C-alpha cells in the first residue's frame, strides 16, 4: 500500500476509531517533569511542543518553538511495562480440606493501542517476543498482551543526546512490527503525518478516518527528516567482535573502575526496554487461608538476585555490573540471536552517576592490548547449542 | 541429551504448580531429609531423567528447585532429598504424610547415562550432591552390563553426614561397583578415608582415556575435582558437572540462573565441562 497522509486534525478521529474497536490507547504525555506512557484520551493529551534533552545522568524538558506531538525522543518508561508488567499475580491458592486448591490467574488482554512506538522500541518488543514466546516455554500473560496490541509506530525525526540506535541497527526508521507507522511533519502552514501501513489491521483502521495518498514531495520531506535523525546520534557503539571481546574480558580491570562509580541501584535495568528479569513473591493473608504468588520486575544489580545457600554468587558490585553489561552486549546474542541492546540510551540517561554503556564497552575494547586479552581463542566459552 | 520439557501438563501456564501429597518424609542425617510424593491427580505421570529437578512449593512459604533423587525406572515413588537450610526447606522438613505440596517439573538437562554406555563411569560427589547423582547410579546399575568399571567417590563432612548410608553399604557389597567414601573430619570410631573427595581420584580404578565422569557437589569441590580428573587424563568433553544457581521460574524467564550465556534451568543443570570450564574457574559468574 502506498504511503498515506493524515492531517493533524484527523488524529482525533484516528483515536476515536481505535477506541471504537475496543482499544485502550496508551501514549506519551507529560507527567512530573518527564514524558511517560499512560492512558491517552485525545490528541491534546500528547506532549505538544515539548522536547527532552538528554545527557549522561541527565534528562530535562524544554519547550519547542513548534507544536510537535512527537518532538521528544524516549522517556523513562518503555512499552514493556504494558506487555510485561512490573507486577503481576501468577496464581492464587486457598486452603482446603485436603490441602489447598490452586486458582489460575485469568489471562488479560487489555487490548492496548500503543501510540508513538519508536524504532528502537519496536526492536525491544521484538527481542522480548523472543524471550517470552520463542523458547520451549511461553509466557501466556505476555502472549495475550502482545497478540492483542495495536502498534502505531512513530519515526524519529531527531535523535537524542544518548541515542545510538544507528549503531545497533535498530533505527531511527521503523522497518517492521507495526500496524501503522507515522512520520510527523511540521510544515510552516501545515501539521501532518505520512503513514505507512504495516498490517491488514492497520489498513482496515485507516479506511475509517479521513486520509489521502501522500505526494512524492510529502514523502520526500518525511524521509529527509528521518535521515537527519540518523546523522544526529549522540553516541555510538562499535559492535564488531564485541561478544568475543567481552567474553575474553571477565578479568578486565575496567570492572573495578566502573564499580567505584556504580551504585548498584538497578535504574538501568528498570528503564531498559529489553531487561526481562523477574522475581516472585509468595504472600498469604493474615489468617493463612489464602496465598498468592506475585511476579515483580527484578534487577541483576540486587544482592539477592544471585543468592544461593551460603551467600550471593555475585557479591561484589563489579561482578553485578559485569553481568549486566556482558549479558546485554554479549551473552544475549548466544541466548536469543541478537544483542540485548537497542541503543535507546535510557540506561545512560537514568543512571544517577551517568555511567555510559557505550563508553564502558569502548574502554574495554580499547584497552585489550594493554591487559593482554586476546579477541581470538575464546570460542570455548560460547554456547554450543 | 534427552529432554523432557514441554510436558503436556504445561499446556496452560508453566508457572502453575500441580498438587502433590506427601506420602512419607524421613530424616537422612541431622540436617537432611527425603520427601516421597504422590500426585493428587493419579493419572499424572512424573517420568524424569537422572539429573533433572522439580520446583517444589510449600503453601504460602515459597518455591524452590530441588533435584529428583529417586529411581527413574520406578514410577511409583517420586523422591527429593534436600538439606533443611532455608525458609522453604525448613518448612518442608516439618510436613507430615498427607500434607500437600505444589510441584512444577521436571526441568533441565540430564546426566549422559545412555551416551556413557560402553565406558567406565566415575561419579564424584560431595555432601548433598549425592542426591542428584543417585538416579544416574540407579539407571547405570539397572543396566550394569552396558558399562565398564563403575566407581562412586563420595565425600561427606563427617561420618554422621553420610547420606543414604544403608544404600551405600549395599552398593559397596556389589562386586561390580567400587564405592569409596571419605570424610572431612573423622570421629573416633571412623576407620575410613579422611580428606576431601578429590583425594580419592588419584587411586580410583578407572581408565582415564575411556571414563565418563559425572560430578555434583559444592562449586569449589567441582572445580578441584575437574582439575584432578583432567590431570589424570580424562578429556573435558567426557566430564559432566551439575551447577546450582538461584531460580525463580525454571523456564528461562526470570533470568536469575544465568551462568554466562547459559541458563542453568534449561541449558543445565548438567553441563559438559567443555562448555562451562572457563566460567567455572572465573570469580562471581
Amino acid at each position: 500500500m502506498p504511503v498515506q497522509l493524515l492531517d493533524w486534525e484527523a488524529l482525533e478521529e484516528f483515536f476515536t476509531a481505535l477506541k471504537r474497536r475496543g482499544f485502550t490507547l496508551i501514549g506519551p504525555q507529560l507527567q512530573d517533569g518527564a514524558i511517560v506512557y499512560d492512558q491517552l484520551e485525545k490528541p491534546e493529551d500528547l506532549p505538544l511542543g515539548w522536547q527532552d534533552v538528554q545527557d549522561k545522568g541527565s534528562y530535562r524538558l524544554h519547550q519547542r518553538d513548534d507544536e510537535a506531538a512527537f518532538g521528544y525522543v524516549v522517556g523513562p518508561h518503555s512499552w514493556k511495562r504494558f506487555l510485561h508488567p512490573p507486577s503481576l499475580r501468577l496464581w492464587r491458592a486457598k486452603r482446603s480440606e485436603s490441602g489447598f486448591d490452586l486458582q489460575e490467574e485469568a489471562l488479560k488482554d487489555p487490548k492496548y493501542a500503543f501510540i508513538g512506538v519508536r524504532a528502537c522500541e519496536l526492536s525491544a518488543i521484538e527481542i522480548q517476543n523472543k524471550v517470552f514466546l520463542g523458547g520451549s516455554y511461553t509466557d501466556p500473560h505476555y502472549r495475550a498482551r502482545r497478540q492483542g496490541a495495536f502498534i502505531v509506530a512513530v519515526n524519529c525525526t531527531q535523535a537524542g543526546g544518548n541515542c545510538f540506535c544507528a549503531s545497533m541497527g535498530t533505527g531511527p526508521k521503523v522497518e517492521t512490527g507495526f500496524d501503522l507507522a507515522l512520520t510527523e511533519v511540521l510544515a510552516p502552514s501545515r501539521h501532518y503525518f505520512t503513514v505507512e501501513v504495516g498490517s491488514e489491521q492497520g489498513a482496515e483502521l485507516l479506511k475509517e478516518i479521513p486520509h489521502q495518498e501522500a505526494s512524492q514531495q510529502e514523502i520526500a520531506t518525511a524521509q529527509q527528516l528521518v535521515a537527519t535523525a540518523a546523522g544526529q546520534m549522540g553516541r555510538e557503539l562499535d559492535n564488531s567482535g564485541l561478544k568475543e571481546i567481552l567474553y575474553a574480558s571477565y578479568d578486565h580491570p575496567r570492572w573495578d573502575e566502573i564499580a567505584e562509580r556504580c551504585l548498584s541501584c538497578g535504574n538501568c535495568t528498570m528503564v531498559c526496554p529489553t531487561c526481562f528479569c523477574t522475581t516472585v513473591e509468595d504472600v498469604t493473608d493474615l489468617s493463612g487461608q489464602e496465598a498468592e504468588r506475585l511476579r515483580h520486575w527484578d534487577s541483576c544489580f540486587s544482592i539477592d538476585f544471585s543468592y544461593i545457600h551460603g551467600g550471593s554468587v555475585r557479591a561484589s558490585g563489579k561482578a553485578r555490573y559485569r553481568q549486566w553489561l556482558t549479558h546485554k552486549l554479549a551473552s544475549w546474542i548466544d541466548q536469543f540471536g541478537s544483542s540485548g541492546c537497542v541503543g535507546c540510551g535510557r540506561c545512560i540517561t537514568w543512571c544517577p552517576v551517568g555511567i555510559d554503556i557505550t563508553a564502558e564497552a569502548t574502554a574495554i575494547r580499547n584497552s585489550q592490548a594493554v591487559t593482554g586479552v586476546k579477541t581470538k581463542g575464546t570460542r570455548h566459552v560460547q554456547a554450543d547449542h | 541429551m534427552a529432554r523432557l520439557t514441554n510436558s503436556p501438563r504445561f499446556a496452560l501456564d508453566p508457572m502453575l504448580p500441580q498438587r502433590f501429597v506427601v506420602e512419607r518424609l524421613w530424616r537422612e542425617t541431622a540436617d537432611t531429609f527425603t520427601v516421597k510424593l504422590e500426585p493428587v491427580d493419579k493419572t499424572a505421570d512424573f517420568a524424569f531423567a537422572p539429573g533433572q529437578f522439580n520446583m517444589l512449593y510449600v503453601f504460602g512459604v515459597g518455591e524452590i528447585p530441588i533435584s529428583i533423587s529417586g529411581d527413574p525406572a520406578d514410577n511409583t515413588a517420586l523422591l527429593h532429598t534436600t538439606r533443611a537450610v532455608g525458609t522453604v526447606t525448613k518448612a518442608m522438613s516439618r510436613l507430615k504424610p498427607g500434607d500437600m505440596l505444589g510441584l512444577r517439573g521436571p526441568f533441565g538437562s540430564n546426566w549422559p547415562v545412555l551416551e556413557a554406555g560402553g565406558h567406565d563411569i566415575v561419579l564424584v560427589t560431595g555432601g548433598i550432591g549425592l542426591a542428584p547423582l543417585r538416579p544416574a547410579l540407579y539407571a547405570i546399575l539397572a543396566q550394569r552390563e552396558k558399562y565398564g568399571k563403575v566407581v562412586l567417590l563420595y565425600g561427606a563432612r563427617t561420618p554422621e553426614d553420610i547420606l543414604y548410608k544403608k544404600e551405600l553399604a549395599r552398593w559397596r557389597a556389589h562386586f561390580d561397583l567400587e564405592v569409596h567414601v571419605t570424610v572431612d573430619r573423622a570421629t573416633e570410631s571412623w576407620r575410613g578415608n579422611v580428606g576431601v573427595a578429590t583425594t580419592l581420584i588419584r587411586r580410583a580404578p578407572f581408565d582415564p582415556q575411556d571414563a565418563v565422569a559425572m560430578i555434583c557437589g559444592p562449586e569449589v569441590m567441582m572445580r578441584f575435582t575437574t582439575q584432578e580428573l583432567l590431570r589424570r587424563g580424562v578429556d573435558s568433553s567426557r566430564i559432566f558437572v551439575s551447577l546450582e544457581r538461584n531460580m525463580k521460574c525454571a523456564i528461562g524467564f526470570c533470568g536469575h540462573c544465568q551462568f554466562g550465556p547459559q541458563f542453568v534451568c534449561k541449558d543445565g543443570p548438567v553441563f559438559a565441562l567443555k562448555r562451562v570450564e572457563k566460567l567455572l574457574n572465573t570469580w562471581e559468574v
Side-chain angles (χ1 to χ4, degrees):
Chain A
M1 193 170 180
V3 177
Q4 304 293 306
L5 188 133
L6 196 68
D7 274 306
W8 162 255
E9 287 72 22
L11 211 58
E12 178 132 29
E13 283 184 58
F14 179 30
F15 281 18
T16 308
L18 281 169
K19 284 190 235 171
R20 203 161 45 226
R21 287 169 176 238
F23 286 109
T24 298
L25 273 61
I26 306 289
Q29 53 210 269
L30 209 57
Q31 268 176 28
D32 304 323
I35 292 166
V36 299
Y37 299 146
D38 204 344
Q39 194 166 336
L40 278 179
E41 290 305 327
K42 50 191 189 302
E44 290 71 33
D45 293 342
L46 294 165
L48 300 175
W50 287 98
Q51 180 175 356
D52 46 14
V53 177
Q54 305 190 35
D55 202 343
K56 292 193 282 187
S58 166
Y59 176 95
R60 295 287 180 276
L61 290 181
H62 289 278
Q63 199 90 54
R64 296 170 61 96
D65 49 18
D66 59 29
E67 285 291 289
F70 301 97
Y72 60 91
V73 186
V74 286
H77 283 181
S78 71
W79 306 100
K80 89 172 173 186
R81 66 185 300 103
F82 301 98
L83 296 173
H84 175 51
S87 279
L88 185 74
R89 182 165 55 213
L90 295 174
W91 44 260
R92 278 183 282 190
K94 213 176 218 167
R95 271 202 200 282
S96 69
E97 199 95 320
S98 63
F100 56 85
D101 294 319
L102 284 158
Q103 193 191 339
E104 222 172 326
E105 187 71 4
L107 292 181
K108 272 196 204 99
D109 169 14
K111 276 200 91 173
Y112 288 130
F114 297 146
I115 313 292
V117 183
R118 306 298 179 144
C120 60
E121 299 183 310
L122 277 177
S123 288
I125 292 172
E126 195 50 47
I127 286 172
Q128 289 212 326
N129 285 348
K130 277 187 226 155
V131 173
F132 294 121
L133 306 176
S136 27
Y137 294 101
T138 55
D139 177 355
H141 301 281
Y142 182 89
R143 177 189 278 131
R145 287 157 185 267
R146 177 63 194 93
Q147 276 177 347
F150 187 100
I151 293 185
V152 182
V154 167
N155 278 307
C156 286
T157 53
Q158 64 186 37
N162 290 333
C163 289
F164 56 104
C165 64
S167 296
M168 304 311 294
T170 57
K173 180 162 178 10
V174 300
E175 302 288 351
T176 55
F178 56 86
D179 293 296
L180 295 171
L182 315 180
T183 307
E184 185 175 33
V185 181
L186 290 123
S189 57
R190 217 171 138 217
H191 186 180
Y192 66 90
F193 302 92
T194 57
V195 186
E196 285 164 77
V197 179
S199 74
E200 196 70 26
Q201 191 179 211
E204 288 298 314
L205 190 105
L206 202 58
K207 279 187 195 155
E208 295 176 23
I209 49 178
H211 67 284
Q212 63 203 72
E213 199 172 314
S215 70
Q216 287 308 311
Q217 174 64 37
E218 287 156 345
I219 296 170
T221 307
Q223 282 173 344
Q224 185 52 46
L225 287 167
V226 182
T228 310
Q232 286 175 338
M233 296 287 138
R235 319 227 162 248
E236 57 180 351
L237 180 64
D238 178 1
N239 284 287
S240 61
L242 188 56
K243 183 179 90 171
E244 288 73 20
I245 291 171
L246 290 170
Y247 278 172
S249 302
Y250 272 85
D251 293 318
H252 200 286
R254 183 76 184 186
W255 304 119
D256 289 294
E257 290 174 47
I258 307 168
E260 281 174 26
R261 289 173 278 139
C262 176
L263 308 176
S264 285
C265 70
N267 264 15
C268 48
T269 55
M270 296 295 111
V271 295
C272 177
T274 68
C275 272
F276 58 84
C277 290
T278 52
T279 187
V280 289
E281 185 187 11
D282 290 282
V283 291
T284 50
D285 66 346
L286 283 176
S287 69
Q289 292 305 300
E290 286 180 41
E292 55 184 21
R293 163 156 279 225
L294 308 169
R295 185 183 79 187
H296 307 293
W297 283 358
D298 201 3
S299 173
C300 54
F301 281 93
S302 86
I303 191 97
D304 287 345
F305 189 86
S306 62
Y307 184 86
I308 47 176
H309 61 91
S312 290
V313 174
R314 293 181 212 109
S316 71
K318 70 173 175 173
R320 299 200 289 277
Y321 187 86
R322 181 184 67 181
Q323 165 61 23
W324 179 72
L325 186 138
T326 306
H327 182 218
K328 194 66 54 184
L329 299 177
S331 47
W332 206 296
I333 300 170
D334 283 329
Q335 294 171 345
F336 303 109
S338 75
S339 172
C341 176
V342 297
C344 71
R346 283 181 178 90
C347 58
I348 309 170
T349 303
W350 299 95
C351 175
V353 295
I355 294 174
D356 175 353
I357 186 172
T358 66
E360 301 311 333
T362 306
I364 287 171
R365 173 190 291 281
N366 292 344
S367 56
Q368 290 249 300
V370 183
T371 58
V373 180
K374 281 189 244 118
T375 309
K376 298 271 187 278
T378 58
R379 303 205 67 84
H380 59 290
V381 292
Q382 292 171 36
D384 46 356
H385 299 283
Chain B
M1 275 180 242
R3 277 168 194 269
L4 298 175
T5 51
N6 257 353
S7 144
R9 76 181 69 145
F10 294 130
L12 294 168
D13 186 348
M15 289 299 283
L16 191 72
Q18 278 211 312
R19 298 179 307 158
F20 277 67
V21 169
V22 175
E23 198 186 318
R24 213 151 69 78
L25 189 145
W26 62 92
R27 204 151 289 285
E28 297 283 359
T29 65
D31 60 353
T32 60
F33 64 95
T34 296
V35 58
K36 184 177 182 191
L37 299 173
E38 57 177 4
V40 170
D41 172 5
K42 300 291 180 208
T43 63
D45 85 298
F46 41 84
F48 71 99
Q52 288 196 303
F53 67 95
N54 283 320
M55 297 295 285
L56 296 188
Y57 167 75
V58 179
F59 182 86
V61 182
E63 188 188 54
I64 47 155
I66 304 185
S67 60
I68 309 167
S69 52
D71 185 348
D74 179 2
N75 55 13
T76 63
L78 182 58
L79 303 182
H80 295 82
T81 301
T82 191
R83 177 169 283 144
V85 68
T87 330
V88 181
T89 45
K90 278 181 184 153
M92 201 178 289
S93 73
R94 290 190 290 266
L95 293 178
K96 303 268 175 302
D99 284 347
M100 195 176 272
L101 274 175
L103 181 149
R104 297 189 293 125
F107 297 112
S109 63
N110 51 271
W111 299 110
V113 172
L114 295 176
E115 295 86 336
H119 294 272
D120 283 2
I121 304 290
V122 194
L123 308 178
V124 192
T125 165
I128 193 82
L130 181 56
L133 264 176
R134 190 169 66 162
L137 190 54
Y138 283 136
I140 290 164
L141 294 179
Q143 298 200 293
R144 182 64 191 86
E145 69 284 0
K146 293 207 169 145
Y147 301 90
K149 293 194 176 88
V150 180
V151 183
L152 171 66
L153 310 176
Y154 174 48
R157 283 177 299 190
T158 71
E160 279 76 47
D161 293 307
I162 295 172
L163 205 58
Y164 307 143
K165 224 174 253 170
K166 279 185 199 150
E167 215 165 8
L168 277 168
R170 205 155 53 233
W171 287 332
R172 206 167 193 164
H174 285 227
F175 293 114
D176 53 5
L177 173 64
E178 291 265 350
V179 178
H180 297 275
V181 178
T182 181
V183 296
D184 295 343
R185 275 174 288 118
T187 47
E188 234 165 80
S189 58
W190 179 255
R191 292 292 174 269
N193 296 302
V194 180
V196 292
T198 45
T199 57
L200 300 172
I201 296 169
R202 239 160 289 163
R203 299 175 276 133
F206 62 87
D207 174 7
Q209 305 304 317
D210 177 68
V212 172
M214 306 179 200
I215 316 170
C216 188
E219 215 158 294
V220 58
M221 168 268 184
M222 293 201 287
R223 221 168 277 148
F224 286 106
T225 301
T226 55
Q227 282 168 18
E228 201 57 39
L229 287 167
L230 291 168
R231 202 170 300 144
R232 260 203 77 170
V234 183
D235 192 83
S236 71
S237 64
R238 281 185 281 109
I239 300 177
F240 294 82
V241 294
S242 179
L243 297 181
E244 182 182 10
R245 280 295 178 274
N246 185 307
M247 282 180 200
K248 302 295 185 193
C249 75
I251 50 179
F253 293 161
C254 80
H256 283 244
C257 71
Q258 286 178 79
F259 187 66
Q262 276 83 227
F263 286 90
V264 172
C265 69
K266 56 177 191 175
D267 303 320
V270 177
F271 291 98
L273 177 65
K274 203 172 65 161
R275 193 164 155 188
V276 293
E277 194 174 2
K278 189 194 168 198
L279 292 176
L280 194 61
N281 291 297
T282 305
W283 52 273
E284 294 186 53
V285 180

